[in-house]
Amino acid sequence: MKASGPVATAMCNRWSCRSVVLLGSVLCFIGIVISAFAPNIEFLYFSYSIVGGFGRCLTYSPSLIMVTNYFNKRRGLAVGIATAGTGLGMFSFPPLIEALFGEYGYQGALLLLAAISLHTFVSAALFRPLDLHKRISKISRINECVIWLSIS
C-alpha cells in the first residue's frame, strides 16, 4: 500500500494529520479484526491487505509529516528517531506474532494484534495542531517571564 502515501498526504492537506491518523487507526483495527473471522483466503487478502494496509498507510505517512512540522532544527535526527521504530518493530514483531499464534491460535492472535494496532489511536489523540502548540508555548513562556519578574 505504499502507493497510497500520496492519498494520505492529500487527506492531511484537506483535514488535519490527527484526524487522518485516527481514521487510519480505526481502519487498521477493523481490517485486522475482520481478518480474524475471514471465511476464505480471498476475503483475508482483502481485509488484511487492502483495509488493514490502507489503515497502516494512513497512520504512517501523517506521523512523519507531524515530525517534520514540529522540528525545524535537527529535523533529520527527529525523522531518523521516528522511523527507527519501524525497524525495531520489524525485528521484534515476528517472534511476538509467532508466540501469539502458538498460544492463542489464529483468531486470538489476530484479535490481540488488532488491539495492539489500536494503540496508534492513542498516539494520534496526542497529536496537537502546530498553531495550537505555538500558542501554548508562547503562553508558557509569558508565564515563565511573569514568574521570573515577580521573584526578582
Side-chain angles (χ1 to χ4, degrees):
M1 294 309 287
K2 290 189 186 238
S4 56
V7 174
T9 305
M11 290 175 72
C12 285
N13 289 334
R14 175 92 165 108
W15 300 288
S16 68
C17 287
R18 175 191 236 173
S19 59
V20 173
V21 175
L22 289 171
L23 173 68
S25 175
V26 170
L27 276 176
C28 184
F29 174 75
I30 290 171
I32 298 173
V33 166
I34 61 175
S35 295
F37 304 104
N40 54 31
I41 193 75
E42 291 84 12
F43 185 80
L44 183 64
Y45 284 151
F46 169 75
S47 62
Y48 194 82
S49 300
I50 305 297
V51 177
F54 187 64
R56 284 182 205 90
C57 176
L58 291 182
T59 59
Y60 183 72
S61 299
S63 300
L64 292 179
I65 292 171
M66 288 296 289
V67 170
T68 58
N69 284 341
Y70 269 92
F71 293 94
N72 290 326
K73 297 179 185 176
R74 303 187 192 268
R75 183 176 289 166
L77 178 65
V79 171
I81 291 171
T83 57
T86 304
L88 182 64
M90 290 174 76
F91 180 73
S92 61
F93 262 74
L96 173 68
I97 292 170
E98 187 176 345
L100 288 176
F101 272 89
E103 184 71 26
Y104 298 105
Y106 174 75
Q107 284 186 339
L110 282 178
L111 291 174
L112 286 170
L113 288 172
I116 290 170
S117 75
L118 199 58
H119 283 82
T120 56
F121 192 87
V122 175
S123 66
L126 298 174
F127 287 177
R128 274 197 303 207
L130 193 58
D131 58 338
L132 177 64
H133 177 71
K134 287 180 180 178
R135 279 188 275 148
I136 291 172
S137 298
K138 184 178 179 182
I139 290 170
S140 67
R141 281 194 304 270
I142 291 171
N143 288 341
E144 288 174 6
C145 290
V146 168
I147 291 171
W148 185 78
L149 289 174
S150 65
I151 293 173
S152 304

